[in-house]
Amino acid sequence: MSPCKILLVDDERFVLSMLAQGLRNIGYEVFEAVSGQAAMLFAEEVKPTIAVVDIRMPEMSGIEVGHWFRRQGIPFIFLSAYDDNETVKMAAKAGALGYLVKPIGVPQLLPTIHAARERADEIGRLKETESQLNAALRGSREISIAVGLLMERYHLTEKDAFERLRTHARVQRCKLHDLARNIIGASEQLNCFK
């Protein structure tokens, strides 16, 4: 794993200081914020690996900060003195990768940080795979449409139309889905003259 930058967000300065010092003592790079606004400014500047956020803070709640972190792609864990079902549900809905109830020390926080980082990495890999699959599906759809257009225009079988498309892509030294996209675009242009 890459070096870990932890952003701690808590309006209780004693809790903030205690956790920050404990994490620094074991080698983490730690940034401290006493409000939601300060947390967002720090996050934009330092790009933390993970954030640990108190839920109940004045002015801007940790839940609001969590929603912002989620949109920014910053994994986060919630800390709270509250363990009621409603608060836990709001935390999960915000996208928290963990939820710890205060009082808490560094020994209890570390396993949650490690688990949340692993989960965040897994989610990142899944999103990358999803993106690749979506691109492949779009390309596959475009290839199918182009094959259909070639079948219709030149009265070819599906196999022959696909082979022509693949051969032409090799000759032009371009990707199959790029050629398919060009054929679809040309067909749409021709349809404008009907």
CSV table of all heavy atoms in Angstrom, one decimal, residues 7-67:
chain,number,residue,atom,x,y,z
A,7,LEU,N,-6.7,12.3,7.2
A,7,LEU,CA,-7.3,13.6,7.6
A,7,LEU,C,-8.2,13.3,8.8
A,7,LEU,O,-9.2,12.5,8.6
A,7,LEU,CB,-8.0,14.2,6.4
A,7,LEU,CG,-8.8,15.5,6.7
A,7,LEU,CD1,-7.9,16.6,7.3
A,7,LEU,CD2,-9.5,15.9,5.5
A,8,LEU,N,-7.9,13.8,9.9
A,8,LEU,CA,-8.8,13.7,11.1
A,8,LEU,C,-9.7,14.9,11.2
A,8,LEU,O,-9.2,16.1,11.1
A,8,LEU,CB,-8.0,13.6,12.4
A,8,LEU,CG,-7.1,12.3,12.5
A,8,LEU,CD1,-6.3,12.4,13.8
A,8,LEU,CD2,-8.0,11.1,12.5
A,9,VAL,N,-11.0,14.7,11.4
A,9,VAL,CA,-11.9,15.8,11.4
A,9,VAL,C,-12.8,15.7,12.7
A,9,VAL,O,-13.6,14.8,12.8
A,9,VAL,CB,-12.9,15.9,10.2
A,9,VAL,CG1,-13.7,17.1,10.2
A,9,VAL,CG2,-12.1,15.7,8.9
A,10,ASP,N,-12.6,16.6,13.7
A,10,ASP,CA,-13.3,16.6,14.9
A,10,ASP,C,-13.3,17.9,15.5
A,10,ASP,O,-12.2,18.6,15.6
A,10,ASP,CB,-12.7,15.5,15.8
A,10,ASP,CG,-13.7,15.1,16.9
A,10,ASP,OD1,-14.4,15.9,17.5
A,10,ASP,OD2,-13.8,13.9,17.2
A,11,ASP,N,-14.4,18.4,16.0
A,11,ASP,CA,-14.5,19.7,16.7
A,11,ASP,C,-14.0,19.6,18.1
A,11,ASP,O,-13.7,20.6,18.8
A,11,ASP,CB,-15.9,20.3,16.6
A,11,ASP,CG,-16.9,19.5,17.4
A,11,ASP,OD1,-16.9,18.2,17.2
A,11,ASP,OD2,-17.7,20.1,18.1
A,12,GLU,N,-13.8,18.4,18.7
A,12,GLU,CA,-13.2,18.2,20.0
A,12,GLU,C,-11.7,18.2,19.9
A,12,GLU,O,-11.1,17.2,19.5
A,12,GLU,CB,-13.7,17.0,20.7
A,12,GLU,CG,-15.2,17.0,21.0
A,12,GLU,CD,-15.7,15.7,21.6
A,12,GLU,OE1,-15.0,15.2,22.5
A,12,GLU,OE2,-16.7,15.1,21.2
A,13,ARG,N,-11.1,19.3,20.2
A,13,ARG,CA,-9.6,19.4,20.0
A,13,ARG,C,-8.8,18.4,20.8
A,13,ARG,O,-7.8,17.9,20.3
A,13,ARG,CB,-9.2,20.8,20.4
A,13,ARG,CG,-9.7,21.8,19.4
A,13,ARG,CD,-9.2,23.2,19.7
A,13,ARG,NE,-9.9,24.2,18.9
A,13,ARG,CZ,-9.4,24.6,17.7
A,13,ARG,NH1,-8.4,24.1,17.2
A,13,ARG,NH2,-10.1,25.5,17.0
A,14,PHE,N,-9.3,18.0,22.0
A,14,PHE,CA,-8.5,17.0,22.7
A,14,PHE,C,-8.5,15.6,22.0
A,14,PHE,O,-7.5,15.0,21.9
A,14,PHE,CB,-9.1,16.8,24.1
A,14,PHE,CG,-8.5,15.7,24.9
A,14,PHE,CD1,-7.2,15.9,25.5
A,14,PHE,CD2,-9.1,14.4,25.1
A,14,PHE,CE1,-6.5,14.8,26.1
A,14,PHE,CE2,-8.5,13.4,25.8
A,14,PHE,CZ,-7.2,13.6,26.3
A,15,VAL,N,-9.7,15.2,21.5
A,15,VAL,CA,-9.8,13.9,20.8
A,15,VAL,C,-8.9,14.0,19.5
A,15,VAL,O,-8.2,13.1,19.2
A,15,VAL,CB,-11.3,13.6,20.4
A,15,VAL,CG1,-11.4,12.5,19.4
A,15,VAL,CG2,-12.1,13.4,21.6
A,16,LEU,N,-9.0,15.1,18.8
A,16,LEU,CA,-8.2,15.3,17.6
A,16,LEU,C,-6.8,15.2,17.9
A,16,LEU,O,-6.0,14.5,17.2
A,16,LEU,CB,-8.6,16.7,17.0
A,16,LEU,CG,-8.2,17.1,15.6
A,16,LEU,CD1,-8.8,16.1,14.6
A,16,LEU,CD2,-8.5,18.5,15.3
A,17,SER,N,-6.3,15.9,18.9
A,17,SER,CA,-4.9,15.9,19.2
A,17,SER,C,-4.4,14.6,19.6
A,17,SER,O,-3.3,14.1,19.2
A,17,SER,CB,-4.6,17.0,20.3
A,17,SER,OG,-3.3,17.0,20.7
A,18,MET,N,-5.2,13.9,20.5
A,18,MET,CA,-4.8,12.6,21.0
A,18,MET,C,-4.6,11.5,19.8
A,18,MET,O,-3.6,10.8,19.7
A,18,MET,CB,-5.8,12.0,22.0
A,18,MET,CG,-5.5,10.7,22.5
A,18,MET,SD,-6.9,9.8,23.3
A,18,MET,CE,-8.0,9.7,21.9
A,19,LEU,N,-5.6,11.5,18.9
A,19,LEU,CA,-5.6,10.6,17.8
A,19,LEU,C,-4.5,10.9,16.8
A,19,LEU,O,-3.8,10.0,16.4
A,19,LEU,CB,-6.9,10.5,17.1
A,19,LEU,CG,-8.1,9.9,17.9
A,19,LEU,CD1,-9.4,10.0,17.1
A,19,LEU,CD2,-7.8,8.4,18.2
A,20,ALA,N,-4.3,12.2,16.6
A,20,ALA,CA,-3.3,12.7,15.6
A,20,ALA,C,-1.9,12.3,16.1
A,20,ALA,O,-1.1,11.8,15.3
A,20,ALA,CB,-3.4,14.2,15.4
A,21,GLN,N,-1.6,12.6,17.4
A,21,GLN,CA,-0.3,12.3,17.9
A,21,GLN,C,0.0,10.8,17.9
A,21,GLN,O,1.0,10.3,17.5
A,21,GLN,CB,-0.2,12.8,19.3
A,21,GLN,CG,1.3,12.8,19.9
A,21,GLN,CD,2.2,13.5,18.9
A,21,GLN,OE1,2.0,14.7,18.6
A,21,GLN,NE2,3.3,12.9,18.6
A,22,GLY,N,-1.1,10.0,18.3
A,22,GLY,CA,-0.9,8.5,18.3
A,22,GLY,C,-0.6,8.0,16.9
A,22,GLY,O,0.2,7.1,16.7
A,23,LEU,N,-1.3,8.5,15.9
A,23,LEU,CA,-1.1,8.0,14.5
A,23,LEU,C,0.3,8.5,14.0
A,23,LEU,O,0.9,7.8,13.3
A,23,LEU,CB,-2.2,8.5,13.6
A,23,LEU,CG,-3.6,7.9,13.8
A,23,LEU,CD1,-4.7,8.6,13.1
A,23,LEU,CD2,-3.6,6.4,13.4
A,24,ARG,N,0.7,9.7,14.3
A,24,ARG,CA,2.0,10.2,13.9
A,24,ARG,C,3.1,9.4,14.5
A,24,ARG,O,4.1,9.1,13.9
A,24,ARG,CB,2.2,11.7,14.3
A,24,ARG,CG,1.4,12.6,13.4
A,24,ARG,CD,1.7,14.1,13.8
A,24,ARG,NE,0.9,15.0,13.0
A,24,ARG,CZ,-0.1,15.7,13.5
A,24,ARG,NH1,-0.4,15.7,14.8
A,24,ARG,NH2,-0.8,16.4,12.7
A,25,ASN,N,2.9,9.0,15.8
A,25,ASN,CA,3.9,8.2,16.5
A,25,ASN,C,4.2,6.8,15.8
A,25,ASN,O,5.3,6.3,16.0
A,25,ASN,CB,3.5,7.9,17.9
A,25,ASN,CG,3.7,9.2,18.8
A,25,ASN,OD1,4.3,10.1,18.4
A,25,ASN,ND2,3.0,9.2,20.0
A,26,ILE,N,3.2,6.3,15.1
A,26,ILE,CA,3.5,5.1,14.4
A,26,ILE,C,3.7,5.2,12.9
A,26,ILE,O,3.7,4.3,12.1
A,26,ILE,CB,2.3,4.0,14.6
A,26,ILE,CG1,1.0,4.6,14.3
A,26,ILE,CG2,2.3,3.6,16.0
A,26,ILE,CD1,-0.2,3.6,14.4
A,27,GLY,N,3.9,6.5,12.5
A,27,GLY,CA,4.4,6.7,11.1
A,27,GLY,C,3.4,7.3,10.1
A,27,GLY,O,3.8,7.4,8.9
A,28,TYR,N,2.2,7.6,10.5
A,28,TYR,CA,1.3,8.1,9.5
A,28,TYR,C,1.5,9.6,9.4
A,28,TYR,O,1.9,10.3,10.3
A,28,TYR,CB,-0.2,7.9,10.0
A,28,TYR,CG,-0.6,6.4,9.8
A,28,TYR,CD1,-0.6,5.6,10.9
A,28,TYR,CD2,-0.9,5.9,8.6
A,28,TYR,CE1,-0.9,4.2,10.8
A,28,TYR,CE2,-1.3,4.6,8.5
A,28,TYR,CZ,-1.3,3.8,9.6
A,28,TYR,OH,-1.6,2.4,9.4
A,29,GLU,N,1.2,10.1,8.2
A,29,GLU,CA,1.1,11.6,7.9
A,29,GLU,C,-0.3,12.0,8.2
A,29,GLU,O,-1.2,11.5,7.6
A,29,GLU,CB,1.5,11.9,6.5
A,29,GLU,CG,1.7,13.3,6.2
A,29,GLU,CD,2.1,13.6,4.7
A,29,GLU,OE1,2.4,12.6,4.0
A,29,GLU,OE2,2.2,14.7,4.4
A,30,VAL,N,-0.5,12.9,9.2
A,30,VAL,CA,-1.8,13.2,9.7
A,30,VAL,C,-2.0,14.7,9.6
A,30,VAL,O,-1.2,15.5,9.9
A,30,VAL,CB,-1.9,12.8,11.2
A,30,VAL,CG1,-3.3,13.2,11.7
A,30,VAL,CG2,-1.6,11.3,11.4
A,31,PHE,N,-3.3,15.0,9.1
A,31,PHE,CA,-3.7,16.4,9.0
A,31,PHE,C,-5.0,16.5,9.9
A,31,PHE,O,-5.8,15.6,10.0
A,31,PHE,CB,-4.1,16.7,7.6
A,31,PHE,CG,-2.9,16.5,6.7
A,31,PHE,CD1,-2.7,15.3,6.1
A,31,PHE,CD2,-2.0,17.5,6.4
A,31,PHE,CE1,-1.6,15.1,5.3
A,31,PHE,CE2,-0.9,17.3,5.6
A,31,PHE,CZ,-0.7,16.1,5.0
A,32,GLU,N,-5.1,17.7,10.5
A,32,GLU,CA,-6.2,17.9,11.5
A,32,GLU,C,-7.1,19.0,11.0
A,32,GLU,O,-6.6,20.1,10.6
A,32,GLU,CB,-5.6,18.2,12.9
A,32,GLU,CG,-4.7,17.2,13.4
A,32,GLU,CD,-4.0,17.7,14.7
A,32,GLU,OE1,-4.7,18.2,15.6
A,32,GLU,OE2,-2.8,17.5,14.8
A,33,ALA,N,-8.4,18.8,11.2
A,33,ALA,CA,-9.4,19.8,10.9
A,33,ALA,C,-10.4,19.9,12.0
A,33,ALA,O,-10.9,18.8,12.4
A,33,ALA,CB,-10.0,19.6,9.5
A,34,VAL,N,-10.8,21.1,12.4
A,34,VAL,CA,-11.7,21.2,13.5
A,34,VAL,C,-13.2,21.5,13.0
A,34,VAL,O,-14.1,21.7,13.8
A,34,VAL,CB,-11.3,22.3,14.5
A,34,VAL,CG1,-10.0,21.8,15.3
A,34,VAL,CG2,-11.1,23.6,13.9
A,35,SER,N,-13.4,21.5,11.7
A,35,SER,CA,-14.7,21.8,11.1
A,35,SER,C,-14.8,21.2,9.8
A,35,SER,O,-13.8,20.8,9.1
A,35,SER,CB,-14.9,23.3,11.0
A,35,SER,OG,-14.1,23.8,10.0
A,36,GLY,N,-16.0,21.1,9.3
A,36,GLY,CA,-16.3,20.5,8.0
A,36,GLY,C,-15.7,21.3,6.9
A,36,GLY,O,-15.1,20.8,5.9
A,37,GLN,N,-15.8,22.6,7.0
A,37,GLN,CA,-15.2,23.5,6.0
A,37,GLN,C,-13.7,23.4,5.9
A,37,GLN,O,-13.1,23.3,4.8
A,37,GLN,CB,-15.6,25.0,6.3
A,37,GLN,CG,-17.0,25.3,6.1
A,37,GLN,CD,-17.4,25.3,4.6
A,37,GLN,OE1,-16.5,25.3,3.7
A,37,GLN,NE2,-18.7,25.3,4.3
A,38,ALA,N,-13.1,23.3,7.1
A,38,ALA,CA,-11.6,23.2,7.1
A,38,ALA,C,-11.2,21.8,6.5
A,38,ALA,O,-10.2,21.7,5.8
A,38,ALA,CB,-11.1,23.3,8.6
A,39,ALA,N,-12.0,20.8,6.8
A,39,ALA,CA,-11.8,19.4,6.3
A,39,ALA,C,-11.8,19.4,4.7
A,39,ALA,O,-10.9,18.8,4.1
A,39,ALA,CB,-12.8,18.4,6.8
A,40,MET,N,-12.8,20.1,4.2
A,40,MET,CA,-12.9,20.1,2.7
A,40,MET,C,-11.7,20.9,2.1
A,40,MET,O,-11.1,20.5,1.1
A,40,MET,CB,-14.2,20.7,2.3
A,40,MET,CG,-15.4,19.8,2.6
A,40,MET,SD,-17.0,20.3,2.0
A,40,MET,CE,-17.2,21.9,2.7
A,41,LEU,N,-11.3,22.0,2.7
A,41,LEU,CA,-10.1,22.7,2.2
A,41,LEU,C,-8.8,21.9,2.3
A,41,LEU,O,-8.1,21.8,1.4
A,41,LEU,CB,-9.9,24.0,3.0
A,41,LEU,CG,-11.0,25.1,2.8
A,41,LEU,CD1,-10.8,26.3,3.8
A,41,LEU,CD2,-10.9,25.6,1.3
A,42,PHE,N,-8.6,21.2,3.5
A,42,PHE,CA,-7.5,20.3,3.6
A,42,PHE,C,-7.5,19.2,2.6
A,42,PHE,O,-6.5,18.9,1.9
A,42,PHE,CB,-7.5,19.7,5.0
A,42,PHE,CG,-6.6,20.4,6.0
A,42,PHE,CD1,-7.1,20.9,7.1
A,42,PHE,CD2,-5.2,20.5,5.8
A,42,PHE,CE1,-6.3,21.5,8.1
A,42,PHE,CE2,-4.4,21.1,6.7
A,42,PHE,CZ,-5.0,21.6,7.9
A,43,ALA,N,-8.7,18.6,2.4
A,43,ALA,CA,-8.8,17.5,1.4
A,43,ALA,C,-8.4,17.9,0.0
A,43,ALA,O,-7.8,17.2,-0.7
A,43,ALA,CB,-10.2,16.9,1.5
A,44,GLU,N,-8.9,19.1,-0.4
A,44,GLU,CA,-8.5,19.6,-1.7
A,44,GLU,C,-7.0,19.8,-1.9
A,44,GLU,O,-6.4,19.5,-2.9
A,44,GLU,CB,-9.3,20.9,-2.1
A,44,GLU,CG,-10.7,20.6,-2.3
A,44,GLU,CD,-11.5,21.9,-2.6
A,44,GLU,OE1,-11.0,23.0,-2.1
A,44,GLU,OE2,-12.5,21.9,-3.2
A,45,GLU,N,-6.4,20.2,-0.8
A,45,GLU,CA,-5.0,20.5,-0.8
A,45,GLU,C,-4.1,19.3,-0.7
A,45,GLU,O,-3.1,19.1,-1.5
A,45,GLU,CB,-4.6,21.5,0.3
A,45,GLU,CG,-3.2,22.0,0.3
A,45,GLU,CD,-2.9,23.0,1.4
A,45,GLU,OE1,-3.8,23.8,1.7
A,45,GLU,OE2,-1.8,22.9,2.0
A,46,VAL,N,-4.4,18.4,0.3
A,46,VAL,CA,-3.5,17.3,0.5
A,46,VAL,C,-3.9,15.9,0.0
A,46,VAL,O,-3.1,15.0,0.0
A,46,VAL,CB,-3.2,17.1,2.1
A,46,VAL,CG1,-2.7,18.4,2.7
A,46,VAL,CG2,-4.5,16.7,2.8
A,47,LYS,N,-5.1,15.8,-0.6
A,47,LYS,CA,-5.6,14.6,-1.1
A,47,LYS,C,-5.3,13.4,-0.2
A,47,LYS,O,-4.5,12.5,-0.4
A,47,LYS,CB,-4.9,14.3,-2.5
A,47,LYS,CG,-5.0,15.4,-3.5
A,47,LYS,CD,-6.3,15.6,-4.0
A,47,LYS,CE,-6.3,16.6,-5.2
A,47,LYS,NZ,-7.2,17.7,-5.0
A,48,PRO,N,-6.1,13.3,0.9
A,48,PRO,CA,-5.8,12.3,1.9
A,48,PRO,C,-6.2,10.9,1.4
A,48,PRO,O,-7.0,10.7,0.5
A,48,PRO,CB,-6.8,12.6,3.1
A,48,PRO,CG,-7.9,13.4,2.4
A,48,PRO,CD,-7.2,14.2,1.3
A,49,THR,N,-5.5,9.9,1.9
A,49,THR,CA,-5.7,8.5,1.6
A,49,THR,C,-7.1,8.1,2.2
A,49,THR,O,-7.8,7.4,1.6
A,49,THR,CB,-4.6,7.6,2.1
A,49,THR,OG1,-3.4,8.1,1.7
A,49,THR,CG2,-4.8,6.2,1.7
A,50,ILE,N,-7.3,8.6,3.4
A,50,ILE,CA,-8.5,8.3,4.1
A,50,ILE,C,-8.8,9.4,5.1
A,50,ILE,O,-7.9,10.1,5.6
A,50,ILE,CB,-8.5,6.9,4.8
A,50,ILE,CG1,-9.8,6.5,5.3
A,50,ILE,CG2,-7.5,6.9,5.9
A,50,ILE,CD1,-9.9,5.0,5.5
A,51,ALA,N,-10.1,9.6,5.4
A,51,ALA,CA,-10.5,10.6,6.4
A,51,ALA,C,-11.3,9.9,7.5
A,51,ALA,O,-12.0,9.0,7.3
A,51,ALA,CB,-11.4,11.7,5.7
A,52,VAL,N,-11.0,10.4,8.7
A,52,VAL,CA,-11.8,10.0,9.9
A,52,VAL,C,-12.5,11.2,10.4
A,52,VAL,O,-12.0,12.2,10.8
A,52,VAL,CB,-10.8,9.4,11.0
A,52,VAL,CG1,-11.6,9.0,12.2
A,52,VAL,CG2,-9.9,8.3,10.4
A,53,VAL,N,-13.9,11.1,10.3
A,53,VAL,CA,-14.7,12.2,10.5
A,53,VAL,C,-15.7,12.1,11.7
A,53,VAL,O,-16.5,11.1,11.7
A,53,VAL,CB,-15.5,12.5,9.2
A,53,VAL,CG1,-16.4,13.8,9.3
A,53,VAL,CG2,-14.6,12.6,8.0
A,54,ASP,N,-15.8,13.0,12.6
A,54,ASP,CA,-16.8,13.1,13.6
A,54,ASP,C,-18.1,13.4,13.0
A,54,ASP,O,-18.2,14.2,12.1
A,54,ASP,CB,-16.4,14.1,14.7
A,54,ASP,CG,-17.4,14.2,15.8
A,54,ASP,OD1,-18.0,13.1,16.2
A,54,ASP,OD2,-17.6,15.3,16.4
A,55,ILE,N,-19.2,12.8,13.4
A,55,ILE,CA,-20.5,13.0,12.8
A,55,ILE,C,-21.1,14.3,13.2
A,55,ILE,O,-21.6,15.1,12.4
A,55,ILE,CB,-21.5,11.8,13.1
A,55,ILE,CG1,-21.0,10.6,12.2
A,55,ILE,CG2,-22.9,12.2,12.8
A,55,ILE,CD1,-22.0,9.5,12.2
A,56,ARG,N,-21.1,14.6,14.5
A,56,ARG,CA,-21.8,15.8,15.0
A,56,ARG,C,-20.8,16.9,15.3
A,56,ARG,O,-20.0,16.8,16.2
A,56,ARG,CB,-22.5,15.4,16.3
A,56,ARG,CG,-23.5,14.3,16.1
A,56,ARG,CD,-24.9,14.6,16.5
A,56,ARG,NE,-25.8,13.6,16.1
A,56,ARG,CZ,-26.7,13.1,16.9
A,56,ARG,NH1,-26.9,13.5,18.1
A,56,ARG,NH2,-27.5,12.1,16.4
A,57,MET,N,-20.8,17.9,14.4
A,57,MET,CA,-20.0,19.1,14.5
A,57,MET,C,-20.9,20.3,14.3
A,57,MET,O,-21.9,20.2,13.5
A,57,MET,CB,-18.9,19.0,13.5
A,57,MET,CG,-17.9,17.9,13.7
A,57,MET,SD,-16.5,18.0,12.6
A,57,MET,CE,-17.3,17.6,11.0
A,58,PRO,N,-20.5,21.4,14.8
A,58,PRO,CA,-21.3,22.6,14.6
A,58,PRO,C,-21.2,23.1,13.1
A,58,PRO,O,-20.2,22.7,12.5
A,58,PRO,CB,-20.8,23.7,15.5
A,58,PRO,CG,-19.4,23.2,15.9
A,58,PRO,CD,-19.4,21.7,15.8
A,59,GLU,N,-22.1,23.8,12.6
A,59,GLU,CA,-22.1,24.4,11.3
A,59,GLU,C,-22.4,23.4,10.2
A,59,GLU,O,-23.3,23.5,9.5
A,59,GLU,CB,-20.9,25.3,11.0
A,59,GLU,CG,-20.8,26.5,12.0
A,59,GLU,CD,-19.5,27.2,11.7
A,59,GLU,OE1,-19.0,27.3,10.6
A,59,GLU,OE2,-19.0,27.8,12.7
A,60,MET,N,-21.5,22.5,10.1
A,60,MET,CA,-21.6,21.5,9.0
A,60,MET,C,-21.4,20.1,9.6
A,60,MET,O,-20.4,19.8,10.2
A,60,MET,CB,-20.5,21.7,7.9
A,60,MET,CG,-20.5,20.7,6.8
A,60,MET,SD,-19.3,21.0,5.6
A,60,MET,CE,-20.1,22.2,4.5
A,61,SER,N,-22.4,19.2,9.5
A,61,SER,CA,-22.3,17.9,10.1
A,61,SER,C,-21.3,17.0,9.3
A,61,SER,O,-21.0,17.2,8.2
A,61,SER,CB,-23.6,17.2,10.1
A,61,SER,OG,-24.0,16.7,8.8
A,62,GLY,N,-20.8,16.0,10.1
A,62,GLY,CA,-19.9,15.0,9.4
A,62,GLY,C,-20.6,14.3,8.3
A,62,GLY,O,-20.0,13.9,7.3
A,63,ILE,N,-21.9,14.1,8.4
A,63,ILE,CA,-22.7,13.5,7.3
A,63,ILE,C,-22.5,14.3,6.0
A,63,ILE,O,-22.3,13.8,4.9
A,63,ILE,CB,-24.2,13.3,7.7
A,63,ILE,CG1,-24.3,12.4,8.9
A,63,ILE,CG2,-25.0,12.8,6.5
A,63,ILE,CD1,-23.9,10.9,8.7
A,64,GLU,N,-22.7,15.6,6.1
A,64,GLU,CA,-22.5,16.5,5.0
A,64,GLU,C,-21.1,16.4,4.4
A,64,GLU,O,-20.9,16.3,3.2
A,64,GLU,CB,-22.9,18.0,5.3
A,64,GLU,CG,-24.3,18.2,5.7
A,64,GLU,CD,-24.5,19.6,6.2
A,64,GLU,OE1,-24.2,19.8,7.4
A,64,GLU,OE2,-25.0,20.5,5.4
A,65,VAL,N,-20.2,16.4,5.3
A,65,VAL,CA,-18.8,16.3,4.9
A,65,VAL,C,-18.5,14.9,4.2
A,65,VAL,O,-17.9,14.9,3.1
A,65,VAL,CB,-17.8,16.5,6.1
A,65,VAL,CG1,-16.4,16.2,5.7
A,65,VAL,CG2,-18.0,17.8,6.7
A,66,GLY,N,-19.1,13.9,4.8
A,66,GLY,CA,-19.0,12.6,4.2
A,66,GLY,C,-19.6,12.5,2.7
A,66,GLY,O,-19.0,11.9,1.9
A,67,HIS,N,-20.7,13.1,2.5
A,67,HIS,CA,-21.3,13.2,1.2
A,67,HIS,C,-20.3,13.9,0.2
A,67,HIS,O,-20.1,13.4,-0.9
A,67,HIS,CB,-22.6,13.9,1.1
A,67,HIS,CG,-23.8,13.0,1.7
A,67,HIS,ND1,-24.2,11.9,1.0
A,67,HIS,CD2,-24.5,13.1,2.8
A,67,HIS,CE1,-25.2,11.4,1.7
A,67,HIS,NE2,-25.4,12.1,2.8
